Amino acid sequence: MLQQLVRTVLLGQGLAALICGTAVSSQYLASEFHVNTPMAQSVLNYALLCATYTTMLLFTTGDGHILQVLKNRGWKYLLLGLVDVQANYTVVKAYQYTSLTSVQLLDCFVVPMLMVLSWWFLKTRYTVMHCVAVCVCLLGVGAMVGADILSGRDMGSTSNILLGDGLVLVSATLYAVSNVCQEYTVKNLSRVEFLGMVGLFGTLISTVQMVILERDEIANITWSWQVGVLFAGFAVCMYTLYSCMPVVVRMTSATSVNLSLLTADLFSLFCGIFLFQYQFSVLYLVSLAAILIGFVAFNVTPTPSDQDDAPSDPSSAVGDGPCHHDPAERADAATDHQETRVQITPSGEVERDEEEEDGQTQERRRDGDRDGQIHRRRDDDEDERTSGCGLSEDDEERMLRFVAAGRGTRM
């Protein structure tokens, strides 16, 4: 249990570090080279997924082949790819209209949305302890935002706060939908199928959207090896995140993974202290501790489901007989109770073999009585026929004398 918990925490923080890598590379592109092309960066990630996992589907046989997947579930993956692309795009677009504080706070909306969707579609049931753990994590995020405000690092635009906040909420909802679909797919179908289809449709959708929305920004990029390295670093971090996240989701849940990802902003802040001269605050450490405590509390609490509340199979019911631990006692008990085995019908009625055997014995007895009566009747009929044509004792003596006299005459 402890080993699995430690592994879950480490894997979750590894995913948060990958998100930190994407944030740092994007920050460098925006601040040092004035490059703001979220769709162009996303295209590289989806193209790598397509080249890897979609190709693997081409060589898969049976129902997992790409043609069978497209035929059976293609339209669903098309919608999922659209949701995933727009979730990545809207959260980046929100920075143009609202502040960093609003984005950090409202982006946490993905956690309660995930819990609601998991409860509705995945039949996951959360306890009070789960809710308390989530609240602790959100308090940690609040401490991080408070530290940003106190340090004066409330960056971002405020040109249209209402639109920006709405984009963040839309992004959080889309992320929740995408993550719930991911959890269902990797636990019931295949990780390769999920990543292959997301890579295929994500590449198509993001390419079209990039050409429509970002063709001017891409044309104005001043290319250099530093810009190329930052683009490559962003793509590698995103590709690794997408490849590893289904593994962690299969081990835990989409809600648990997103709780661990709350520390990604903190890692970005710690990097910013050294790279962008951000001001350090003790509240950052408080925030990190609160998020990790809530994450651990969430994972150590068992998650019940509807299946746990279902009644047990009647065929697995155990009789009320005594329990025998010794093999010889079990053999004797089996012999003694061989004629009284309990059977449970689908309607719930209990029938015993002993009662059936008693009924069969009584039926055999009734058949024997009928046979005996028939034999007795036959004997009586024979006696009556014999008595109807028979002679008395005196007549028999006279007949013997007559026969003897006749023999004597012939002699």
Side-chain angles (χ1 to χ4, degrees), residues 114-125:
L114 267 172
M115 296 181 71
V116 172
L117 293 176
S118 298
W119 179 86
W120 186 263
F121 293 104
L122 302 180
K123 307 304 179 184
T124 304
R125 296 295 176 258

Side-chain angles (χ1 to χ4, degrees), residues 361-377:
T361 303
Q362 293 177 2
E363 186 175 355
R364 286 195 295 270
R365 288 176 180 175
R366 288 193 295 268
D367 293 340
D369 293 341
R370 287 195 295 270
D371 293 340
Q373 292 175 1
I374 293 172
H375 288 301
R376 286 195 296 272
R377 290 175 180 173

Side-chain angles (χ1 to χ4, degrees), residues 311-330:
S312 59
D313 187 0
S315 61
S316 62
V318 180
D320 296 332
C323 180
H324 301 277
H325 300 281
D326 186 75
E329 293 181 4
R330 287 198 297 267

Side-chain angles (χ1 to χ4, degrees), residues 213-228:
L213 300 177
E214 296 181 354
R215 60 181 183 273
D216 294 335
E217 287 81 357
I218 295 175
N220 294 329
I221 294 177
T222 303
W223 292 97
S224 64
W225 69 269
Q226 294 97 330
V227 174

